[in-house]
Amino acid sequence: IVIAVALCAAVATVAHAAATEASELSCAPAKVHPGENMTCTIRGRDATHEATRAEPSDFLISVHAEGTVVVSAVRATVDETVVAFTVSSDHGTFLSVEALARNGVPIRGSGFQALVYAVPPTQLGELACDAAASGLELRATTTCTVAASGAGGVPAAVSPRDVVFSEDHGDGSFEFVSGDGNFVFRYTAPASPSSRYDAFALRVALTDGISAPRNASLAVRFPA
């Protein structure tokens, strides 16, 4: 859908050059969770690219996304050369934020690409660990990464309650590290295996029980 924000004219109290398509749009953060606001600012620039007063009525804002997004009214800020607005969504989606000058020409930075993470995750990508090709030593730790996505293939935010870790022999320990887009965990090998085997068999799965689990096999490196 496209959400357009009609901007109310503000009354200028002093003479100033009009803001033009040389004005610049920026938004931060570029990746947010559902329900979180992304704040966008427009810095007013005149035809010579010099800073000038920016009025909310100088720009037309539109946001392109799948589903519903909420765009606030554009407002003045304490810096008279800057106007601001917020964008949010209650579901995972890709966003494209566009801003046009009064003449209908896109300003600099228009088409800003942003992301609202999907929650909950519905699918896991490949599991990769940074252990050496020769394997993982006893007591050593490896860091592993798994891509996660939600509905429509949108990158997902993963929390510890969304995933289950296991090692087929019941050995070692897992630590959840982070979970936005690519979720990261650490596996620490045991001091001594519970039985004789050749590889640690790591498995990670979503708690929904529907998505296919991901596996990694790391050779055990025994002391010489």
Side-chain angles (χ1 to χ4, degrees):
I1 68 167
V2 177
I3 294 185
V5 180
L7 310 176
C8 298
V11 177
T13 57
V14 296
H16 61 278
T20 68
E21 62 268 25
S23 301
E24 187 168 8
L25 168 72
S26 62
C27 301
K31 298 177 181 180
V32 296
H33 293 84
E36 293 181 346
N37 283 333
M38 175 177 60
T39 299
C40 297
T41 59
I42 299 175
R43 296 187 175 276
R45 297 289 186 269
D46 63 20
T48 66
H49 292 248
E50 292 296 321
T52 191
R53 175 178 291 169
E55 307 284 1
S57 58
D58 288 337
F59 309 100
L60 177 66
I61 308 302
S62 62
V63 178
H64 301 257
E66 292 294 329
T68 302
V69 294
V70 177
V71 184
S72 74
V74 179
R75 67 184 187 281
T77 69
V78 292
D79 182 343
E80 67 176 10
T81 68
V82 177
V83 294
F85 59 96
T86 61
V87 180
S88 66
S89 175
D90 62 2
H91 64 280
T93 186
F94 296 101
L95 302 172
S96 177
V97 183
E98 298 185 356
L100 305 181
R102 283 182 177 178
N103 61 2
V105 177
I107 69 172
R108 295 164 62 198
S110 182
F112 184 90
Q113 301 298 303
L115 168 68
V116 180
Y117 288 113
V119 176
T122 58
Q123 186 161 348
L124 298 177
E126 293 303 311
L127 168 59
C129 300
D130 65 0
S134 57
L136 187 66
E137 294 181 352
L138 298 176
R139 297 189 179 89
T141 297
T142 182
T143 299
C144 303
T145 303
V146 187
S149 60
V154 176
V158 181
S159 70
R161 65 177 177 272
D162 294 322
V163 290
V164 176
F165 302 109
S166 62
E167 195 284 320
D168 284 0
H169 309 94
D171 284 347
S173 62
F174 293 88
E175 177 190 2
F176 185 95
V177 177
S178 61
D180 287 346
N182 290 327
F183 91 86
V184 179
F185 67 92
R186 296 189 184 100
Y187 172 75
T188 300
S192 60
S194 58
S195 59
R196 187 75 181 185
Y197 50 84
D198 296 327
F200 299 113
L202 311 187
R203 180 185 300 265
V204 59
L206 295 176
T207 54
D208 63 12
I210 300 173
S211 306
R214 297 300 177 179
N215 304 282
S217 179
L218 308 176
V220 181
R221 291 175 59 186
F222 292 97

